[in-house]
Amino acid sequence: MTVTHRHDHRAIAKHDPHIPNGSTLRLGIGGPVGSGKTMLVRRIIELLGTEFSIGVVTNDIYTKEDADFLTKLNILDRDRIIGVETGGCPHSAIRDDVSMNLGAISDLTSRFDDLDLVIIESGGDNLTAMFSPDLADKTIYVIDVAQGDKIPRKGGPGLSFSDLLIVNKINLAPLVGANTQVMLSDAALIRDDRPTFLADLADQIGLVQITNWVRTEILNNKVQ
Ligand SMILES: Nc1nc2c(ncn2[C@@H]2O[C@H](COP(=O)(O)OP(=O)(O)OP(=O)(O)O)[C@@H](O)[C@H]2O)c(=O)[nH]1
Ligand SMILES: [Mg+2]
């Protein structure tokens, strides 16, 4: 029996003609329902959309709500945004059978051959969700304070192994009795050196750190 190493899958995916070439960073954004994933996509487009060529794939279970929302904002050419209706468990479409998402990325790359970044927003999911390395090169996991400052202690692959963890809606922390410093220290315990940033994406707090991180990942991906 041939045992294929996890990273070999990614190498194979990168050489598939339907997958963007190595200079396109595929960035997966996951996290629970309503934590601010689409708001993060919006901010990345607003801040990096003139510097880089960006495409977006959103996942919703029954609609194309997030793709429609981003399209209506008029911050990115509508042809650069594709909504996928997963029709089932959101984690399945980003982890188990990623074919719908790979198809959407393939559509984007056939429309635009210069993509620096493809963002894949997962449907809102539970703490067990995680992107397949066949689909995403790097991942951001978004949680918010309103779910309680216990969330980082509850763990899960997104919280532990995402390349960047964002604790969003920090302006709401006093209203819901969440201690963001506890969230940061609990996250640090399970994340080794992987960073965790605090943000309020709606009020544009914490955006410099996030933008710098995404820009660095796009540029690092090009020199690999
Ligand atoms: N106060 C506050 N509200 C926010 C922030 N970020 C997002 N929201 C609001 O929270 C709600 C959910 O935000 P979305 O960006 O749609 O969250 P999502 O994770 O994409 O949601 P799903 O895709 O449905 O799982 C919206 O009403 C946003 O306006 C924030 O930083 N602060
Ligand atoms: Mg969303």
Side-chain angles (χ1 to χ4, degrees):
M1 187 180 78
T2 309
V3 177
T4 310
H5 190 268
R6 184 179 153 94
H7 293 293
D8 292 337
H9 279 299
R10 185 171 135 181
I12 291 163
K14 280 268 183 181
H15 289 102
D16 184 318
H18 301 294
I19 305 298
N21 63 39
S23 65
T24 305
L25 177 72
R26 300 168 307 162
L27 177 64
I29 297 180
V33 176
S35 60
K37 298 178 292 298
T38 306
M39 188 65 84
L40 175 61
V41 178
R42 171 184 181 169
R43 296 306 183 211
I44 292 173
I45 294 168
E46 288 171 343
L47 292 162
L48 293 173
T50 52
E51 201 175 328
F52 297 107
S53 174
I54 298 177
V56 176
V57 178
T58 65
N59 284 240
D60 277 303
I61 304 175
Y62 303 118
T63 65
K64 295 187 168 66
E65 171 84 21
D66 287 354
D68 293 343
F69 173 80
L70 291 167
T71 302
K72 282 184 190 139
L73 290 175
N74 234 353
I75 50 176
L76 196 65
D77 183 346
R78 60 171 56 238
D79 291 343
R80 290 176 180 268
I81 303 169
I82 295 181
V84 170
E85 270 180 57
T86 58
C89 296
H91 58 255
S92 184
I94 60 158
R95 188 189 63 196
D96 305 327
D97 177 1
V98 298
S99 54
M100 276 191 285
N101 275 290
L102 291 181
I105 294 173
S106 173
D107 287 349
L108 285 173
T109 49
S110 62
R111 292 176 198 172
F112 304 96
D113 61 7
D114 66 341
L115 290 173
D116 302 302
L117 173 68
V118 172
I119 304 169
I120 306 126
E121 182 192 334
S122 162
D125 212 328
N126 59 40
L127 298 179
T128 63
M130 186 60 177
F131 282 87
S132 162
D134 287 345
L135 180 60
D137 303 306
K138 294 284 171 177
T139 60
I140 301 179
Y141 199 71
V142 184
I143 59 172
D144 72 57
V145 299
Q147 297 155 332
D149 61 16
K150 65 190 184 294
I151 291 293
R153 280 197 297 282
K154 295 205 167 189
L159 281 158
S160 293
F161 300 119
S162 54
D163 297 289
L164 172 62
L165 174 65
I166 295 177
V167 178
N168 190 31
K169 308 190 189 180
I170 56 169
N171 285 1
L172 301 183
L175 302 176
V176 294
N179 184 329
T180 53
Q181 291 311 309
V182 167
M183 297 180 86
L184 280 179
S185 54
D186 286 345
L189 290 175
I190 57 170
R191 291 182 54 74
D192 294 331
D193 291 333
R194 288 177 287 279
T196 302
F197 297 159
L198 298 178
D200 193 291
L201 295 166
D203 283 339
Q204 311 201 33
I205 293 166
L207 292 185
V208 174
Q209 263 188 319
I210 295 170
T211 308
N212 287 342
W213 186 91
V214 175
R215 181 187 292 109
T216 301
E217 293 301 333
I218 293 171
L219 297 177
N220 282 348
N221 185 65
K222 286 184 184 299
V223 296
Q224 268 175 18

